[in-house]
């Protein structure tokens, strides 16, 4: 199986170094000196990594046969592709490669169908599942332990325990508003011809203020 592990960025210096946008959590394995990578476009590669180093927080690579800035600039925006055994698993427990998570069915702990994972979005603070709902809309689920409580590769599903508002914000707001309104009016019956108490409007505001918070802790290895 071939997986994209990086994208080549700008040339750095005059000796053929390039910056790379890393798309794997195992750069020490996938982007190590000596690694031979396929490319997209295919005509550019394969490329063999000669050296690698970190400069100002960015990974710099130099490829065999690329000796100057002109050659480095010619590689810009090229995707680097590694051959990965489909049965290979990350070294750490509770870590997964992107291809293992794609197309998993997403359900809540109560068994409610949420949708299907169509993309893994890698952000600086955490990773997100992009989940396509049955109606075609999308919802973003933070890939953190407090929300994604189980990944079952055999059953091809991800079980989540979403905070209020994550899956259907409008439904959560309406539910909170109705509950607050019921508390405000319980035990009181308006006289004939009277309008309901204004507490219902206050409850509406309280319902909209409620919501959940996602932890920033990431826990997965992605390619």
């Amino acid at each position: 199986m071939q997986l994209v592990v990086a994208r080549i960025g700008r040339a750095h210096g005059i000796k053929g170094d390039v910056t790379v946008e890393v798309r794997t959590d195992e750069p020490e394995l996938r982007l190590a000196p000596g690694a031979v990578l396929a490319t997209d476009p295919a005509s550019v590669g394969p490329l063999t990594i000669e050296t690698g180093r970190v400069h100002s927080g960015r990974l710099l690579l130099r490829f065999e046969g690329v000796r100057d800035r002109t050659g480095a600039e010619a590689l810009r925006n090229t995707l680097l592709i590694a051959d990965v055994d489909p049965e290979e698993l990350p070294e750490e427990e509770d870590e997964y490669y992107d291809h293992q998570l794609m197309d998993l069915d997403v359900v809540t702990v109560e068994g409610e169908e949420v949708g299907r994972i169509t993309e893994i979005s890698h952000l600086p603070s955490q990773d997100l599942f992009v989940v396509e709902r049955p109606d075609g809309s999308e919802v973003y689920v933070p890939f953190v332990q407090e929300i994604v409580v189980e990944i079952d590769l055999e059953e091809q599903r991800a079980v989540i325990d979403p905070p209020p508002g994550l899956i259907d914000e409008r439904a959560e707001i309406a539910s909170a508003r109705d509950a607050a309104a019921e508390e405000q009016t319980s035990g009181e019956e308006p006289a004939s011809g009277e309008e309901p108490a204004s507490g219902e409007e206050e409850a509406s505001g309280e319902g909209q203020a409620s919501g959940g918070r996602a932890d920033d802790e990431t826990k997965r290895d992605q390619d």
Side-chain angles (χ1 to χ4, degrees):
M1 175 179 292
Q2 292 191 317
L3 299 175
V4 174
V5 294
R7 183 181 67 84
I8 297 176
R10 296 180 298 176
H12 180 85
I14 61 174
K15 296 183 178 180
D17 290 334
V18 295
T19 62
V20 294
E21 174 191 319
V22 177
R23 297 189 181 181
T24 171
D25 281 351
E26 293 180 319
E28 69 285 350
L29 174 64
R30 309 296 182 198
L31 301 173
V36 180
L37 302 170
T39 60
D40 182 6
S43 59
V44 175
L47 294 174
T48 301
I49 297 176
E50 185 174 277
T51 64
R53 61 189 176 94
V54 176
H55 176 76
S56 299
R58 297 293 300 274
L59 178 61
L60 301 181
L61 297 180
R62 185 183 300 172
F63 300 99
E64 292 183 3
V66 180
R67 291 288 179 262
D68 55 30
R69 188 177 184 88
T70 300
E73 281 290 354
L75 298 175
R76 190 168 185 174
N77 292 322
T78 297
L79 297 178
L80 299 176
I81 303 169
D83 284 313
V84 179
D85 184 342
E87 302 301 322
E88 181 181 341
L89 297 176
E91 294 181 357
E92 297 296 327
E93 187 178 357
D94 288 336
E95 292 184 346
Y96 304 89
Y97 294 131
D98 281 10
H99 70 271
Q100 295 176 295
L101 302 170
M102 291 292 290
D103 292 325
L104 292 187
D105 293 323
V106 180
V107 299
T108 67
V109 290
E110 292 83 14
E112 176 188 355
E113 178 186 359
V114 178
R116 177 179 61 88
I117 298 175
T118 58
E119 183 182 342
I120 313 297
S121 179
H122 303 293
L123 304 181
S125 60
Q126 65 186 14
D127 296 330
L128 296 176
F129 288 162
V130 180
V131 180
E132 182 178 308
R133 304 297 303 271
D135 63 4
S137 63
E138 291 183 338
V139 62
Y140 299 91
V141 177
F143 194 14
V144 294
Q145 193 168 15
E146 290 75 10
I147 297 176
V148 182
V149 298
E150 180 184 1
I151 296 292
D152 189 334
L153 296 181
E154 289 188 4
E155 295 294 330
Q156 287 290 287
R157 70 175 185 174
V159 181
I160 66 172
D161 186 13
L166 180 66
I167 302 302
D168 191 337
E169 183 176 358
R170 290 173 299 175
E172 293 290 347
I173 292 173
S175 176
R177 181 174 63 241
D178 293 343
E182 185 175 345
E183 288 183 7
Q184 290 280 343
T185 59
S186 62
E188 300 179 7
E189 198 155 338
S192 176
E194 291 182 354
E195 294 294 329
S198 60
E200 183 173 354
E201 294 181 3
E202 296 175 0
S204 175
E206 292 172 0
Q208 292 175 354
S210 67
R213 178 179 62 86
D215 194 294
D216 282 345
E217 177 189 0
T218 59
K219 60 171 182 174
R220 310 299 191 224
D221 181 336
Q222 326 294 341
D223 270 326

